[in-house]
Amino acid sequence: ETYVVAPGDDLWTVSEQLLGDGGRWRELAEANPGKLADPSRPLTPGTRLSLPASRAAAPLTVRVHKGDTLSGIALEHLAAAGRWPRIAAANDDLIQDPDHIEIGWRLIVPGAERAAHSERSEPRTEGQEAPPDEPSVPREEQALQPTVAVQAPPPAEPTLTAAEGPVAQSGEQEAPVVPLLGTLGTLAAAAVIGAIEARRFLRLRERPVGRRLIPPQEQATRLRVAIGSRQQPDRLLALDAALRAIGQHCTASEVLLPELERIEIDDDRIVLHWATLAATPPDGFDASADARSWSIALDRIVLAGGDHPCPYPAVVSLGSSPDGRLVLVDAERSRVLAVAAAEPELGRATLASMGVELGCAPWAQEVHLVVCGDGAELVRLAGGDRVLIQARSEDTVAQVHLLAARRRTALEGTPLAALRIDPDRSDAVAPVVFLFLDDVPPEVADELDGLLAGPALGIAIILATAATVPAQWTVTGDPYAPVGRLVGTPDTLRAHVIPEATRAGVATLFRAADDPATTQAPWWSGEDANVLALPHLPRPGEDPVDIVRLVPAGHPRVLLIGPTELLGANGPEPIRSRQQMIEVCAWLLEHPGSSPTAMAAGLGVAESTRRSNLSRLRIWLGDDPDGQPYLPDAYSGRIMLHGAVTSDWNQVQLLLAPGIDRVGDSALIAALEHVRGAPLADAAPGQWHWAEELRTDISSALRDVGVVLAERALARGDVDLARWAAARALVVAPEDELLLGARIRTEHRAGNRSEVERLVNQLTRQARVLGVDLMPETVMLCQQVIEGRLRAREA
């Protein structure tokens, strides 16, 4: 049997369709060794794939029909009605109540013999179109729906079956799939997302008016969504705060810093295991009876105000236990942290995860990294200026020798732990981590081990070695399902790795975040001519003369500029996951006409979750006054909202369509009046990762509106309008340098000396905190308003 790849297919979904389980993609790859050499790459439409011999053992997938029950499906396919719990357990993402299943659901039936077709056919009369690929209205909500005459759906667009060849709809090719993430650690994922967002913030801060940062490619955006869905920023920040609190406690109490053996983090607590007996813990921490561990609940950690030097800056995560605990070790204590891998690529994938985490994690900001080997560029992109790349391993080893000699001489017997927690001396002993990404010969590893033996020097070495060599961390398996074992612990852990294809994608994300290049913004015309500004603000009850109310009242509207909300929906509100429905609606507005496959990939959700959310959103939106659904069924394979469904961002875009530099003041005022808060203000970390470019565009456009409107107002002496425009735009672009400059000019024009001084201090202090320089024009502005003149630039 064979299968012809269609546009939009990826290895996981094809395996799910043909084998009943996406996790069986390896069987499909093994059956096609010449065609699927790299399982992380997108499948090429038209490729004919051979099916594995084990296909018959795949679980059966059935579609729920009217009148079906779990016991009836079990009787039909498992020969006993009492076996329905097997089906419920295999579909726990859909089935919350075993007495309630919905028409249209596809249920996995484990242990059933697969028939010639992968699904039961939907009974229908001859000529009747197949139903859309969406679940029906839940029973408890059907009673709330009005009884209306249902028109027959329009004929489906003609398509070809997989056996007949791929189909390109409207000349459009599906976006490529996201590379498999492997087992990227949740802390590394949070560190990567945090670093990218921080760098993008700096690029936005420098962005000229009317320009837009170049958005990353679709593939990179999908990878970011996948990484963002895996991150746990609360654990990342909590660990950093806990470590710094321990350092501050030891400094204040004048007690010796305990020697850290390992750290374990679960959903509730951080547990630090000590290699030596520890003294009394800080407030909020609990000590074990044997004084060998401290623990603290995540909700008891104070995340703010932790400026004390981190006493364990070289801790790095290795893997996760079966019950979800993260395990970290201190690379400094290990001196030489050897990673034995079953194959070179697995070793590089493991060390890449460690290097990226040390490059981005907040507790490791004092760490200097020296990297040698294949893949060093990724670590440099992650760590920036703190990373030095060495071309040859011999030079790296020589650098270790030189640094060790210098540190021994400088320390002169002073314990490193005493200096590490001293705010005045910790910089002098900042840790240096040497990362050897290629296999290191055993004799070189022994040489380095002997060199660093004895008192700690603040030097750590992480290296890959052959699987036959004893090592502290041993990793086996493959880069997409690795397992590891840590010396001294009985557990087998799921190792954290970044596979090769994902490493390339993460590098692309870092490059995009660092790239200062811009392009002309869609909200800017680029022409010199301007519409004349209106001489006054509209009076109460007076409409701006050049504004057309763009959206008829009474239709659904998504609010994105501030806390997210869906207004004007005609159906009953969902009883759960309300914010997810709003996110789905916003995604559909930004990606009209997308396929279900692209939607699931874009949102980073499972296909079953996508179907369920779409069905519930359809119910919530309801119908327009003419009885047409606001979210029609996707008979064509493309999902499209009703044309009357819009968002506040859509309205701002229409207002600014001619260009901010061409529309009148009233259009700019109307745009700023949509500001209720920061874009997506109530989106929690881990949500809306697909919308990062959307959030950036909203902030950028409204920032430009504020700058232009304030400048126009100041040009004609309207201080009140200038103050309002800059303040309103600062809500969506807080601490923006151009907007703060507009505020300074406004208060200077108003003669408000104290406010000018406050704003100048805020601006200069902000630059120091961010570690950036003020723009030359900002420096000149500050000199003029504070000192009354520019300082001499030359003698």
Side-chain angles (χ1 to χ4, degrees):
E1 292 183 279
T2 62
Y3 173 79
V4 178
V5 175
D9 278 350
D10 59 73
L11 198 55
W12 183 277
T13 55
V14 171
S15 301
E16 187 174 45
Q17 175 184 347
L18 300 179
L19 307 182
D21 182 4
R24 297 180 64 185
W25 61 266
R26 293 180 185 82
E27 298 177 30
L28 195 60
E30 292 170 359
N32 297 272
K35 301 174 183 176
L36 301 177
D38 185 351
S40 66
R41 294 190 179 277
L43 300 182
T44 304
T47 303
R48 188 174 294 276
L49 301 179
S50 299
L51 302 186
S54 59
R55 183 192 178 196
L60 175 68
T61 302
V62 302
R63 184 192 290 272
V64 176
H65 298 161
K66 183 177 180 180
D68 277 348
T69 62
L70 283 186
S71 57
I73 295 173
L75 178 63
E76 180 181 353
H77 296 284
L78 301 179
R83 293 173 179 169
W84 65 263
R86 298 186 189 179
I87 305 174
N91 299 273
D92 57 357
D93 58 332
L94 285 175
I95 300 175
Q96 306 298 322
D97 178 359
D99 291 327
H100 170 63
I101 58 176
E102 298 179 6
I103 299 172
W105 278 0
R106 287 189 173 91
L107 301 181
I108 296 172
V109 184
E113 289 295 328
R114 178 170 290 275
H117 303 286
S118 60
E119 295 184 355
R120 293 183 295 174
S121 299
E122 183 79 33
R124 57 183 183 269
T125 61
E126 184 177 354
Q128 181 183 353
E129 296 293 341
D133 183 19
E134 305 298 338
S136 67
V137 179
R139 285 188 301 188
E140 67 269 21
E141 296 180 8
Q142 284 178 352
L144 302 175
Q145 302 299 308
T147 302
V148 297
V150 180
Q151 296 180 347
E157 295 181 4
T159 59
L160 298 176
T161 64
E164 295 171 317
V167 179
Q169 300 190 26
S170 303
E172 183 185 32
Q173 190 79 359
E174 284 290 349
V177 297
V178 178
L180 296 173
L181 280 181
T183 53
L184 176 68
T186 56
L187 294 183
V192 166
I193 294 298
I196 289 172
E197 290 179 351
R199 296 177 193 185
R200 290 279 289 178
F201 171 78
L202 294 179
R203 300 288 81 78
L204 287 170
R205 188 176 178 275
E206 302 165 354
R207 181 186 60 85
V209 173
R211 304 291 293 177
R212 179 194 194 193
L213 295 183
I214 297 176
Q217 297 178 347
E218 180 68 17
Q219 179 80 350
T221 301
R222 291 192 179 193
L223 178 60
R224 177 177 177 147
V225 171
I227 294 174
S229 66
R230 183 167 293 186
Q231 68 163 335
Q232 291 180 315
D234 54 340
R235 295 191 186 186
L236 185 83
L237 299 176
L239 177 58
D240 178 58
L243 295 177
R244 295 182 190 275
I246 290 172
Q248 189 171 20
H249 167 75
C250 292
T251 300
S253 304
E254 298 183 345
V255 298
L256 188 65
L257 188 68
E259 184 177 348
L260 181 63
E261 180 183 280
R262 72 182 187 279
I263 301 173
E264 296 182 356
I265 309 176
D266 59 22
D267 291 335
D268 302 315
R269 304 186 70 81
I270 296 176
V271 182
L272 303 103
H273 298 273
W274 307 117
T276 56
L277 296 179
T280 304
D283 292 340
F285 287 77
D286 300 318
S288 62
D290 60 1
R292 287 294 185 130
S293 67
W294 294 348
S295 65
I296 184 171
L298 292 176
D299 58 7
R300 296 185 64 184
I301 298 175
V302 178
L303 300 181
D307 292 332
H308 197 277
C310 181
Y312 308 103
V315 296
V316 63
S317 58
L318 300 181
S320 307
S321 65
D323 59 1
R325 287 176 293 111
L326 300 177
V327 177
L328 301 92
V329 298
D330 184 4
E332 275 193 279
R333 177 178 180 264
S334 303
R335 306 295 196 272
V336 177
L337 174 55
V339 178
E343 57 182 22
E345 165 53 26
L346 185 55
R348 282 190 290 271
T350 305
L351 268 65
S353 177
M354 295 183 183
V356 167
E357 187 173 306
L358 288 170
C360 299
W363 60 79
Q365 294 308 300
E366 295 85 13
V367 172
H368 297 280
L369 289 159
V370 181
V371 190
C372 178
D374 184 21
E377 177 64 12
L378 172 60
V379 182
R380 187 197 66 77
L381 290 169
D385 295 339
R386 296 186 291 112
V387 178
L388 173 66
I389 295 180
Q390 286 281 17
R392 302 194 315 152
S393 60
E394 296 85 350
D395 296 337
T396 311
V397 172
Q399 189 174 351
V400 177
H401 279 269
L402 180 60
L403 181 61
R406 289 178 177 172
R407 285 280 174 96
R408 282 197 176 93
T409 302
L411 289 173
E412 294 180 349
T414 304
L416 178 74
L419 302 180
R420 183 56 55 72
I421 60 174
D422 186 344
D424 296 326
R425 298 187 290 174
S426 60
D427 288 347
V429 289
V432 180
V433 177
F434 292 84
L435 200 61
F436 291 82
L437 298 177
D438 296 328
D439 282 357
V440 174
E443 58 272 17
V444 175
D446 292 340
E447 174 189 349
L448 295 172
D449 203 25
L451 176 64
L452 299 183
L457 302 174
I459 300 174
I461 295 172
I462 304 176
L463 54 81
T465 187
T468 57
V469 178
Q472 185 174 354
W473 178 238
T474 304
V475 182
T476 58
D478 65 66
Y480 301 100
V483 295
R485 185 172 295 279
L486 180 64
V487 169
T489 59
D491 296 335
T492 297
L493 305 177
R494 184 185 65 170
H496 292 167
V497 303
I498 307 180
E500 182 178 9
T502 307
R503 293 200 295 274
V506 174
T508 299
L509 288 175
F510 280 125
R511 290 191 186 97
D514 290 332
D515 187 2
T518 61
T519 185
Q520 182 172 312
W523 52 84
W524 196 264
S525 77
E527 300 179 16
D528 293 332
N530 255 326
V531 173
L532 292 177
L534 296 180
H536 64 277
L537 280 170
R539 297 184 181 89
E542 177 186 13
D543 288 334
V545 296
D546 60 342
I547 296 299
V548 177
R549 293 307 173 189
L550 303 166
V551 180
H555 294 290
R557 183 162 61 103
V558 180
L559 302 184
L560 301 173
I561 311 173
T564 56
E565 184 60 87
L566 175 59
L567 304 178
N570 289 336
E573 290 194 15
I575 58 177
R576 59 183 175 86
S577 306
R578 187 176 184 276
Q579 291 303 110
Q580 289 186 32
M581 302 301 99
I582 298 174
E583 181 179 0
V584 170
C585 192
W587 191 92
L588 292 174
L589 280 172
E590 293 299 311
H591 303 84
S594 293
S595 68
T597 301
M599 180 181 176
L603 287 168
V605 298
E607 173 62 15
S608 57
T609 302
R610 182 201 67 81
R611 291 198 303 268
S612 176
N613 285 347
L614 205 62
S615 174
R616 294 166 59 220
L617 175 62
R618 181 176 290 113
I619 296 168
W620 187 11
L621 289 173
D623 298 338
D624 71 2
D626 296 328
Q628 297 300 315
Y630 284 118
L631 179 53
D633 290 321
Y635 288 95
S636 68
R638 298 288 166 171
I639 307 170
M640 183 81 73
L641 286 165
H642 190 296
V645 181
T646 185
S647 70
D648 51 0
W649 170 233
N650 292 155
Q651 295 176 49
V652 169
Q653 288 175 295
L654 289 171
L655 288 167
L656 306 179
I660 293 174
D661 51 331
R662 292 189 57 79
V663 299
D665 284 9
S666 54
L668 303 184
I669 292 168
L672 288 177
E673 285 175 341
H674 283 91
V675 174
R676 299 172 297 109
L680 313 180
D682 56 350
Q687 296 178 327
W688 294 77
H689 278 288
W690 63 270
E692 182 57 28
E693 293 305 316
L694 170 65
R695 188 177 65 84
T696 298
D697 278 353
I698 294 173
S699 298
S700 298
L702 291 170
R703 177 264 222 169
D704 288 358
V705 169
V707 170
V708 170
L709 184 57
E711 288 179 351
R712 289 184 185 178
L714 285 177
R716 63 173 185 265
D718 192 342
V719 173
D720 290 337
L721 177 58
R723 182 183 291 124
W724 177 85
R728 195 85 168 197
L730 278 167
V731 174
V732 297
E735 302 178 343
D736 182 83
E737 189 170 330
L738 291 182
L739 288 174
L740 286 173
R743 285 289 314 279
I744 291 171
R745 287 193 295 272
T746 301
E747 300 306 330
H748 181 64
R749 176 74 66 88
N752 193 347
R753 176 74 181 182
S754 61
E755 183 65 6
V756 168
E757 292 178 351
R758 186 191 71 80
L759 290 168
V760 169
N761 288 334
Q762 176 185 342
L763 191 56
T764 54
R765 182 174 60 252
Q766 170 188 309
R768 289 195 299 271
V769 170
L770 296 175
V772 298
D773 296 328
L774 292 174
M775 292 182 287
E777 53 268 34
T778 304
V779 173
M780 291 189 289
L781 171 64
C782 293
Q783 290 177 358
Q784 287 176 325
V785 298
I786 296 297
E787 301 175 0
R789 60 184 176 83
L790 295 179
R791 297 178 185 175
R793 264 40 180 190
E794 57 185 34

